[in-house]
């Protein structure tokens, strides 16, 4: 038996003797699959219902004109989110974003795969970039990790170098939609996007201000199409409070080992 075979046997025995537990609910998980987030917690994630705004994807059962994207300039033809950012989904985002549990993207990306913008086989996934200071402090860009997992599952190209932040912006947690757009104006620059079909990838959609700013840079760089996908969507995207960025103590283990 080779060393590699011995190592695999040792891992299998360890998982049998010491089964893993779900990051969110702390219940034991399937040792054979070793998921970081259990099936029960995934089942609690609430998919966005139809009908949705054709442009921004905000559900609207009343069929009224969408107020969220009425003044989007330039427009993003299609933005879609996988689940509402309520308690369980928010805990997954915070585990990825603030606590170093990068393997949470396995569950998050899987629930995003049916989103319409990901159906195009020739699209390039563009993760929303972080500023240098935040990336250095965090050690990674959560949107890039998420895009890489989607790319692996879909067989799509990921380009994390096409767009960059040109300046650091203040946190958007308590800003109104108008203040968010002003905060992000001119904060991104894209290069060499002529004719490129781009799908932006981010963890959370709140007002769309960040996606619009990145899309603006890509349009200026010659992109032929820009759409976007996110894992979560804030429950009240017009109240000026970013449910995805509010850093609370969620009683999560600090880092993945």
């Amino acid at each position: 038996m080779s060393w590699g075979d011995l190592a695999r046997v040792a891992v299998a025995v360890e998982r049998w003797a010491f089964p893993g537990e779900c990051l969110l609910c702390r219940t034991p998980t399937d040792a054979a699959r070793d998921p970081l987030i259990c099936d029960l917690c995934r089942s609690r994630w609430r998919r966005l219902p139809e009908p949705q705004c054709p442009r921004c994807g905000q559900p609207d059962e009343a069929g009224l004109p969408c107020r969220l994207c009425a003044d989007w300039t330039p427009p993003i033809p299609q933005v879609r989110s996988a689940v509402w950012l309520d308690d369980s989904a928010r805990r997954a985002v915070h585990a990825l974003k603030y606590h170093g549990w990068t393997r949470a993207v396995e569950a998050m990306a899987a629930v995003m795969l049916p989103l319409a913008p990901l159906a195009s086989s020739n699209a390039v996934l563009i993760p929303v970039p972080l500023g240098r200071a935040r990336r250095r402090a965090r050690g990674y860009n959560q949107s890039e990790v998420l895009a890489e997992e989607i790319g692996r599952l879909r067989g799509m190209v990921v380009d994390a170098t096409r767009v960059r932040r040109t300046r650091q912006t203040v946190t958007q947690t308590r800003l109104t939609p108008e203040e968010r757009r002003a905060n992000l104006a001119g904060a991104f620059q894209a290069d060499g996007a002529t004719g490129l079909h781009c799908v932006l990838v981010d963890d959370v959609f709140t007002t769309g201000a960040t996606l619009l700013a990145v899309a603006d840079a890509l349009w200026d760089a010659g992109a032929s199409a820009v759409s976007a996908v996110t894992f979560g969507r804030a429950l009240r995207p017009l109240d000026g409070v970013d449910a995805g960025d509010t850093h609370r103590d969620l009683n999560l283990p600090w880092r993945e080992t």
Side-chain angles (χ1 to χ4, degrees), residues 82-234:
V83 300
W84 287 119
L85 197 69
D86 50 18
D87 184 62
S88 181
R90 184 172 61 251
R91 287 171 62 84
V93 169
H94 283 224
L96 167 65
K97 197 168 186 175
Y98 299 119
H99 297 276
W101 290 89
T102 56
R103 199 155 63 87
V105 297
E106 295 174 4
M108 296 166 68
V111 79
M112 294 172 67
L113 294 184
L115 297 178
L118 298 176
S120 177
S121 59
N122 65 338
V124 176
L125 301 177
I126 307 288
V128 172
L130 276 181
R132 291 182 181 178
R134 288 198 183 106
R135 178 160 190 148
R136 185 165 54 249
R138 196 167 295 171
Y140 58 91
N141 175 2
Q142 74 279 354
S143 298
E144 183 176 340
V145 177
L146 184 57
E148 288 173 350
E149 179 65 10
I150 294 172
R152 184 186 71 81
L153 294 173
R154 274 286 192 195
M156 300 175 72
V157 174
V158 178
D159 189 339
T161 65
R162 192 71 56 181
V163 182
R164 65 184 183 278
R165 281 187 182 256
T166 57
R167 61 179 175 82
Q168 189 68 49
T169 55
V170 300
T171 182
Q172 305 221 114
T173 302
R174 299 294 175 184
L175 300 184
T176 67
E178 293 75 16
E179 290 170 337
R180 288 166 184 259
R181 287 193 288 270
N183 182 44
L184 290 162
F188 300 95
Q189 183 173 336
D191 299 303
T194 302
L196 204 64
H197 182 175
C198 306
V199 178
L200 305 179
V201 179
D202 207 358
D203 53 349
V204 172
F205 178 100
T206 305
T207 66
T210 300
L211 295 176
L212 285 172
V214 178
D216 194 15
L218 285 166
W219 290 126
D220 287 346
S224 63
V226 181
S227 55
V229 294
T230 72
F231 166 69
R233 179 168 291 238

Side-chain angles (χ1 to χ4, degrees), residues 15 17 42-43 45 67 73 98 121 123 147 160 208 219 253:
R15 288 177 175 172
R42 297 186 198 201
S43 71
W45 293 346
R67 295 187 300 120
T73 303
Y98 299 119
S121 59
W219 290 126

